[in-house]
């Protein structure tokens, strides 16, 4: 996997919970160009263990001087976001992957409806830069908890003008998906990123209203949840590994010196998919990639975010 | 490699194309073992051995000017060999950037690129092109950006838009194809496009290849080799012009086979493009006559065994049926049955 060595050039406290990091290449070279909606995976060495978290690029794709990511502090997690908030300062050096886009705008759409909730605003910021440059027809609908939590609203107002619609929960403003989706012209695509419940509700509403699947786009990254320890048995290499409660299967394999494939590490892209050969308990799927039918069938698993409640899980790798 | 003088030669009419000894030695012979079966055989497109066709991201060889001229002639007769759809505008500029940056970095004796912000200055010395333009502003080039740059590089280029978990061939410069047509395939999805390949859908090759390509990363291009055979060193073996080259297939005799039949190897490379998130698929063809090929006896023996064992469906798909046996008979006396070991090397 091709990686970039970057240094933190600036840190900005955007809201009480959100920090914005500006990254530049350590060697002073321009960063690779990317397309709106892309993310990078940031590597962090936390107490000797390598954590890798995906973050959307929110700067303009035209800017190759610096990349911009924002991190929401998640207390109930394994520590990646807390590390970014508490340990990463101006001058810190990090390793990131080349940009990958799992949330690209459709170039054939006639109109784009962007629906963001909270920190889910970040991928839209680079998308909007592309939509503006290409002169595309779009609307941004942005929901957040209270005025203090409305990250980047001023910047968005400058970028979007009256195409920005804000919904402040504490002021009783609610987005009606039904209403939003009911009066759109043919060829409209809808994109959503934010809390799980919001994304699921929007997609369900759209499907119920007959929107074609190809016109619905969403992106969600999961963090690997903490669970019980179990053993994975790697059939091809003949290795058995313990997966501790605070480690994902992917991380456990990497700790053992293996190099299984991965891209997003948030259960979105499908690159790390493995075949399940046997399991003496239950699979606990936490990804957004496999269909419900595939999850029920139980012969595939995403080792980046999913786990098993079992003694032994046999994987075809 | 010593810089080759660019050869004056033709790929039509009198077919004066030939390979120098150096070009034969670096020919990308595709058969590492005696059996051939269709496979995806993808590897990272990393720089290869100095002097080899893999040394640089984009290979420029002694046939550069003659191939660009052949493309010009084909486009003159049939402008539809270059297809550009409006939603591929970012991909057009991605291609300008990819080709200009690669050529200027790898062949500074022939190509130069200087930038002042978005004001770019491109010099292609062999073709006598000196062009200043503004990156992102198509009105500052004499033709669409994709056409401008692909007229200056060898091989065909197909640009695939990624959407709906599939890839669509929405742009292309295709003038040296092995019997397929961009006008016919434009807009098709990856699976529709590969529908005709026998023995492949059955083994799930394309499902796996598509999933792999959807995850192709910028900065990590990949490549594979493909091959076929052709009669006469003709680049434009398009379905549109079948009447001009099709009859050649029945012109092969035991007397002319070494001269007339060519092994045609495609170095296929796939690049993720950064701003458009499209994938560029380059198909760079290398031609070698059987007479040239058997100057390395190891290659002659290997090809003999490959053709003898080739599955009939693949032979038909590749269009070899009319002359395959003639080639086998011609190669047979040169094959002493010795164990060749693994590998594609000439000696």
């Amino acid at each position: 996997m091709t990686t970039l060595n970057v240094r933190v050039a600036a840190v900005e406290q955007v809201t009480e919970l959100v920090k914005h990091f500006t990254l530049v290449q350590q060697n002073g070279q321009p960063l690779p160009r990317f397309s709106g909606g892309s993310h990078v995976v940031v590597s962090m060495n936390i107490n000797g263990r390598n954590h890798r978290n995906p973050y959307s690029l929110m700067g303009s794709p035209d800017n190759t001087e610096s990349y911009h990511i924002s991190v929401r502090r998640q207390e109930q997690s394994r520590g990646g976001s807390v590390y970014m908030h508490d340990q990463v300062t101006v001058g810190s050096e990090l390793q990131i992957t080349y940009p990958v886009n799992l949330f690209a705008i459709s170039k054939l759409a006639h109109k784009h409806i962007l629906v963001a909730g909270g920190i889910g605003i970040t991928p839209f910021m680079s998308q909007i830069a592309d939509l503006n440059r290409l002169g595309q027809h779009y609307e941004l609908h942005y929901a957040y908890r209270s005025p203090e939590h409305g990250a980047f609203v001023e910047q968005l107002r400058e970028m979007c003008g009256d195409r920005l619609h804000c919904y402040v929960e504490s002021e009783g403003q609610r987005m009606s998906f039904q209403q939003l989706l009911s009066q759109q012209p043919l060829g409209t695509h809808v994109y959503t990123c934010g809390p799980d419940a919001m994304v699921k509700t929007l997609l369900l509403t759209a499907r119920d209203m007959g929107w074609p699947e190809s016109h619905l786009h969403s992106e969600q990254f999961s963090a690997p949840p903490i669970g019980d320890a179990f053993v994975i048995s790697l059939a091809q290499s003949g290795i058995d590994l313990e997966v501790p409660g605070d480690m994902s299967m992917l991380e456990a394999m990497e700790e053992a010196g293996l190099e299984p494939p991965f891209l997003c590490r948030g259960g979105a892209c499908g690159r790390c998919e493995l075949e399940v050969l046997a399991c003496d308990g239950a699979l606990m799927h936490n990804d957004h990639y496999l269909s419900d039918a595939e999850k029920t069938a139980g012969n595939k698993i995403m080792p980046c975010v999913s786990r098993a409640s079992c003694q032994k899980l046999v994987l075809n790798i | 490699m010593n810089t080759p003088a660019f050869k004056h030669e033709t790929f039509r009419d009198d077919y004066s194309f030939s390979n120098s000894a150096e070009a034969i030695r670096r020919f990308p012979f595709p058969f590492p073992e005696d059996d051939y079966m269709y496979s995806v055989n993808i590897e990272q497109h990393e720089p290869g051995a100095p002097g080899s066709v893999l040394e640089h991201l984009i290979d420029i060889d002694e046939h550069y000017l003659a191939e660009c001229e052949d493309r010009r002639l084909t486009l003159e007769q049939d402008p539809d060999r270059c297809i550009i759809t409006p939603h591929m505008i970012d991909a057009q500029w991605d291609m300008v950037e990819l080709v200009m940056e690669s050529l200027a970095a790898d062949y500074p004796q022939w190509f130069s690129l200087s930038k002042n912000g978005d004001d770019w200055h491109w010099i292609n010395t062999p073709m006598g092109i000196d062009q200043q333009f503004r990156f992102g502003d198509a009105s500052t080039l004499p033709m669409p950006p994709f056409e401008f740059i692909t007229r200056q590089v060898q091989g065909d280029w197909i640009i695939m838009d990624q959407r709906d978990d599939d890839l669509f061939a929405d742009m292309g410069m295709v003038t040296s194809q092995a019997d397929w047509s961009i006008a016919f395939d434009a807009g098709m999805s990856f699976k529709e496009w590969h529908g005709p390949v026998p023995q492949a859908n059955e083994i799930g090759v394309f499902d796996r290849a598509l999933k792999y390509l959807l995850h192709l990363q910028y900065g990590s291009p990949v490549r594979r080799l493909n091959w076929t055979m052709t009669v006469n060193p003709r680049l434009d073996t398009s379905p549109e012009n079948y009447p001009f080259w099709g009859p050649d297939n029945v012109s092969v005799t035991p007397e002319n086979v070494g001269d007339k039949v060519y092994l045609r190897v495609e170095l296929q490379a796939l690049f993720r493009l950064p701003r458009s998130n499209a994938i560029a698929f380059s198909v760079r063809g290398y031609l070698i006559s059987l007479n040239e090929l058997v100057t390395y006896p190891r290659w002659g023996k290997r090809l003999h065994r490959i053709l003898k064992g080739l599955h009939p469906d693949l032979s038909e798909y590749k269009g070899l049926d009319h002359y395959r046996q003639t080639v086998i008979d011609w190669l047979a006396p040169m094959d002493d049955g010795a164990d060749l070991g693994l590998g594609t090397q000439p000696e």
Side-chain angles (χ1 to χ4, degrees), chain B residues 106-340:
Chain B
D106 293 334
Y107 305 95
Q109 67 275 37
W110 298 322
F111 305 97
S112 113
L113 176 65
S114 44
K115 299 178 189 173
N116 180 11
D118 284 337
D119 291 316
W120 290 26
H121 185 190
W122 167 247
I123 300 173
N124 175 339
T125 307
M127 289 182 78
I129 293 170
D130 184 322
Q131 180 73 47
Q132 304 197 37
F133 63 98
R134 191 159 176 80
F135 189 87
D137 181 353
S139 72
T140 58
L141 285 173
M143 62 185 85
F146 176 70
E147 180 177 353
F148 179 75
I149 197 59
T150 50
R151 279 176 179 265
Q152 300 178 51
V153 68
Q154 291 165 272
D156 288 343
W157 292 82
I158 299 98
I159 316 301
M160 301 181 285
D161 189 30
Q162 180 162 338
R163 56 179 189 270
D164 308 341
D165 292 325
D166 208 337
L167 297 167
F168 294 83
D170 285 348
M171 186 160 80
M173 170 66 90
V174 179
T175 62
S176 49
Q177 64 271 53
D179 197 10
W180 67 281
S181 159
I182 184 69
F184 182 71
D185 283 1
M188 278 194 191
S189 75
F190 186 80
K191 282 189 197 169
E192 290 169 333
W193 189 18
H194 287 91
V197 182
Q199 300 285 312
N201 262 323
E202 287 79 358
I203 49 181
V205 165
F206 292 123
D207 288 333
R208 289 200 300 275
L210 174 60
K211 185 173 175 195
Y212 183 88
L213 291 179
L214 292 174
H215 292 142
L216 184 68
Q217 277 193 285
Y218 179 52
S220 305
V222 296
R223 66 178 172 236
R224 65 182 287 259
L225 289 180
N226 196 12
W227 69 280
T228 185
M229 298 182 84
T230 190
V231 177
N232 292 325
R234 186 175 176 92
L235 292 178
D236 174 25
T237 48
S238 60
E240 289 92 336
N241 281 339
Y242 186 80
F244 296 106
W245 59 269
D248 293 347
N249 279 340
V250 292
S251 69
V252 178
T253 66
E255 291 70 40
N256 68 18
V257 56
D259 196 32
K260 241 180 149 48
V261 174
Y262 284 72
L263 176 62
R264 173 189 176 113
V265 173
E266 294 178 352
L267 171 58
Q268 304 182 341
L270 291 136
F271 306 81
R272 173 72 68 188
L273 299 177
R275 314 171 110 228
S276 58
N277 202 41
I279 289 180
F281 177 37
S282 78
V283 183
R284 170 66 188 282
Y286 294 86
L287 291 166
I288 191 168
S289 73
L290 293 182
N291 277 336
E292 290 170 341
L293 186 95
V294 300
T295 57
Y296 289 106
R298 187 172 184 274
W299 283 354
K301 294 174 196 178
R302 182 79 95 201
L303 182 61
H304 174 240
R305 295 169 199 183
I306 292 286
L307 290 177
K308 263 204 321 192
L310 190 65
H311 193 286
D313 289 355
L314 281 171
S315 175
E316 189 193 354
Y317 171 68
K318 289 175 184 289
L320 315 185
D321 284 357
H322 283 299
Y323 52 84
R324 180 164 68 125
Q325 193 56 47
T326 312
V327 174
I328 292 171
D329 294 344
W330 186 76
L331 288 169
M334 301 177 218
D335 187 358
D336 57 8
D339 182 1
L340 298 174

Side-chain angles (χ1 to χ4, degrees), chain A residues 1-2 32-35 62 97-101 104 106-108 130 133-134 214 263 269-271 273 289, chain B residues 87-90 94 97 118 120 135 161-164 211-212 215 217-220 274-278:
Chain A
M1 165 149 308
T2 327
R33 292 180 191 272
F34 63 97
S35 49
D62 284 335
T97 60
Y98 264 58
V100 169
N101 200 341
S106 169
K107 296 179 192 71
L108 293 178
D130 273 351
R133 180 173 53 79
L134 295 167
S214 61
L263 270 184
C269 76
R271 180 77 180 96
E273 176 186 302
Y289 179 78
Chain B
H87 66 275
M88 299 299 276
I89 183 64
D90 278 348
D94 278 336
E97 180 180 65
D118 284 337
W120 290 26
F135 189 87
D161 189 30
Q162 180 162 338
R163 56 179 189 270
D164 308 341
K211 185 173 175 195
Y212 183 88
H215 292 142
Q217 277 193 285
Y218 179 52
S220 305
R275 314 171 110 228
S276 58
N277 202 41

Side-chain angles (χ1 to χ4, degrees), chain B residues 38-108:
Chain B
Y38 191 91
S39 69
V40 178
N41 62 310
I42 292 177
E43 60 179 2
Q44 293 296 311
H45 188 29
E46 285 167 345
S52 77
V53 303
L54 303 177
E55 181 179 5
H56 300 303
L57 212 56
I58 298 173
D59 183 43
I60 298 291
D61 67 9
E62 63 186 16
H63 309 299
Y64 173 66
L65 282 183
E67 286 189 31
C68 290
E69 172 61 12
D70 193 74
R71 167 161 292 165
R72 191 191 66 76
L73 289 170
T74 299
L75 286 168
E76 199 170 72
Q77 292 159 4
D78 185 0
D80 281 352
R81 300 303 183 83
C82 180
I83 298 269
I84 299 173
T85 45
H87 66 275
M88 299 299 276
I89 183 64
D90 278 348
Q92 292 202 54
W93 288 107
D94 278 336
M95 280 296 299
V96 168
E97 180 180 65
L98 172 67
V99 175
M100 288 187 182
E101 287 192 343
S102 309
L103 297 189
D106 293 334
Y107 305 95

